[in-house]
């Protein structure tokens, strides 16, 4: 990645295919990583009200001093704020903490079966109508929830952000996302670090002069309609994680990596996911 070579982007919202995840970064680290990632060419940042780091993420954005329209900034509304007026209040509070005039993408962080999706989407659409976000989307939505969201939303749902990495088969979500032409943003793309020393990924990496982490990320962004948002607290790793657009995995290598999927591969909230997705 370099400033002269823009990242490939995905879908109607032109989401840059690789972004910086920020969950769990402490304040100083979040500010530094955001500033340095933008300096090295990242143009997509992922945060959430729930992460309690929108302030430092916004400071990192200000430090980088880039034109605002060069950055694709995503934040999320936590699922206990899903009544229509609460969605608006959450968005306004996020934007104030971030110190920006708008975000590029506002996501519903998790489905909430206790509040009608129609009402929540009405609130989300109103936030876009008011110019507080350019695009709207969802996160952790099953294929059935995705289809409902598309049906009930006035504006396009531009992505579903879900856990996706080589240890977790997401064929059902991918099939629906392609049918609905909704990109997938892959969170925990390194399986929260579990893939960084995987022997198969390491072996494939040697062939391409890349690390196992780079192969894990390349495998995601090489799939049509898939973006990835790895998180790191280390500037050098952020640089390495972005260097995945200068090589290509063969069809055989793509299939071999897919073969790493296993039934217990899900890292984030398997119980909640089972309850929501059935
Ligand atoms: N929508 C949702 O519900 C949801 C849920 C989870 C996550 N997310 C988003 O997705 C982002 C990424 O997911 P994640 O943080 O769960 O997991 P991840 O990005 O798969 O993995 C992060 C872990 O990998 C390590 N790491 C990163 N790059 C590395 C490299 N090149 N070599 C070795 N280790 C490396 C990091 O450690 P170091 O910091 O030490 O480098 C960290 O421990 C989050 O930050 C968040 O923005 C969204």
């Amino acid at each position: 990645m370099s400033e002269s070579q823009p990242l490939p982007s995905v879908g109607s919202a032109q989401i840059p295919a690789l972004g910086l995840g920020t969950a769990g970064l402490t304040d100083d680290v979040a500010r530094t990583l955001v500033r340095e990632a933008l300096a090295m060419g990242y143009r997509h940042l992922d945060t959430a009200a729930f992460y309690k780091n929108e302030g430092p993420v916004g400071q990192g954005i200000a430090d980088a001093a880039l034109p605002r329209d060069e950055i694709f900034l995503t934040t999320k509304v936590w699922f206990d704020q899903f009544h229509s007026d609460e969605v608006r209040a959450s968005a306004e509070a996020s934007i104030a903490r971030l110190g920006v005039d708008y975000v590029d993408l506002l996501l519903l962080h998790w489905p909430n079966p206790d509040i009608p999706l129609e009402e929540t989407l009405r609130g989300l659409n109103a936030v876009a109508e008011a110019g507080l976000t350019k695009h709207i989307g969802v996160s952790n939505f099953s294929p059935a929830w995705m289809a409902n969201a598309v049906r009930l939303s006035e504006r396009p749902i531009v992505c579903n952000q879900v856990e996706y990495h080589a240890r977790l088969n997401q064929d059902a979500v991918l099939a629906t996302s392609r049918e609905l032409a909704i990109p997938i943003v892959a969170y925990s793309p390194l399986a929260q670090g579990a893939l960084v020393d995987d022997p198969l990924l390491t072996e494939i990496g040697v062939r391409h002069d890349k690390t196992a982490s780079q192969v894990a990320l390349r495998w995601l962004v090489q799939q049509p309609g898939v973006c990835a948002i790895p998180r790191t607290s280390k500037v050098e790793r952020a640089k390495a994680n972005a260097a995945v657009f200068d090589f290509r995995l063969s069809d055989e290598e793509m299939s071999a990596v897919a073969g790493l999927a296993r039934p217990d591969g899900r890292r984030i909230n398997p119980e909640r996911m089972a309850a929501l997705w059935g």
Side-chain angles (χ1 to χ4, degrees):
M1 187 192 289
S2 80
E3 281 169 84
S4 55
Q5 280 182 325
L7 280 177
S9 56
V10 175
S12 60
Q14 298 280 287
I15 306 172
L18 194 100
L20 180 74
T22 66
L25 297 181
T26 57
D27 288 6
D28 287 353
V29 177
R31 179 174 183 166
T32 303
L33 259 290
V34 166
R35 182 189 66 228
E36 294 302 317
L38 291 171
M40 69 178 74
Y42 277 76
R43 290 295 180 266
H44 172 180
L45 304 169
D46 183 79
T47 183
F50 184 71
Y51 302 164
K52 308 242 178 293
N53 68 4
E54 291 171 311
V57 167
Q59 288 168 329
I61 292 172
D63 293 345
L66 285 170
R68 172 67 188 87
D69 64 2
E70 285 193 18
I71 301 169
F72 192 97
L73 176 59
T74 300
T75 195
K76 314 184 190 87
V77 182
W78 194 238
F79 66 85
D80 64 358
Q81 302 293 306
F82 274 11
H83 289 297
S84 165
D85 52 337
E86 293 171 332
V87 175
R88 171 76 180 245
S90 174
E92 284 174 350
S94 286
I95 286 166
R97 286 189 292 265
L98 285 159
V100 294
D101 296 329
Y102 66 91
V103 292
D104 295 275
L105 178 56
L106 186 64
L107 302 179
L108 302 179
H109 207 141
W110 283 85
N112 182 345
D114 297 329
I115 298 175
L117 183 57
E118 193 166 5
E119 176 185 346
T120 308
L121 285 169
R122 204 177 328 115
L124 197 62
N125 275 274
V127 169
E129 200 57 47
L132 302 177
T133 185
K134 287 202 182 292
H135 304 283
I136 59 173
V138 297
S139 178
N140 296 302
F141 272 39
S142 67
W145 276 86
M146 270 169 85
N148 268 340
V150 167
R151 188 171 54 81
L152 294 170
S153 179
E154 213 170 291
R155 286 172 180 256
I157 299 294
V158 303
C159 80
N160 187 11
Q161 184 181 123
V162 296
E163 179 174 346
Y164 186 31
H165 47 72
R167 292 244 174 114
L168 181 63
N169 180 315
Q170 285 285 33
D171 284 354
V173 177
L174 287 164
T176 305
S177 90
R178 283 173 193 143
E179 262 167 45
L180 298 170
I182 298 177
I184 290 296
V185 175
Y187 77 64
S188 305
L190 298 169
Q192 299 195 304
L195 290 172
V196 305
D197 51 8
D198 178 87
L200 175 72
L201 300 182
T202 303
E203 183 198 313
I204 294 174
V206 168
R207 284 182 224 148
H208 297 275
D209 200 18
K210 293 287 176 181
T211 65
S213 304
Q214 289 169 323
V215 173
L217 295 171
R218 176 69 208 179
W219 180 77
L220 290 166
V221 300
Q222 196 168 310
Q223 299 175 44
V226 178
C227 307
I229 48 167
R231 182 217 93 149
T232 179
S233 55
K234 299 176 179 67
V235 173
E236 276 317 303
R237 287 181 178 172
K239 196 168 192 172
N241 291 347
V244 296
F245 297 98
D246 57 355
F247 74 113
R248 199 170 173 80
L249 299 174
S250 68
D251 291 349
E252 293 73 26
E253 288 168 335
M254 290 295 286
S255 303
V257 176
L260 293 174
R262 46 199 228 192
D264 64 349
R266 189 180 290 285
R267 311 279 305 185
I268 303 285
N269 271 318
E271 301 81 17
R272 184 194 285 168
M273 201 51 96
L276 284 168
W277 286 36

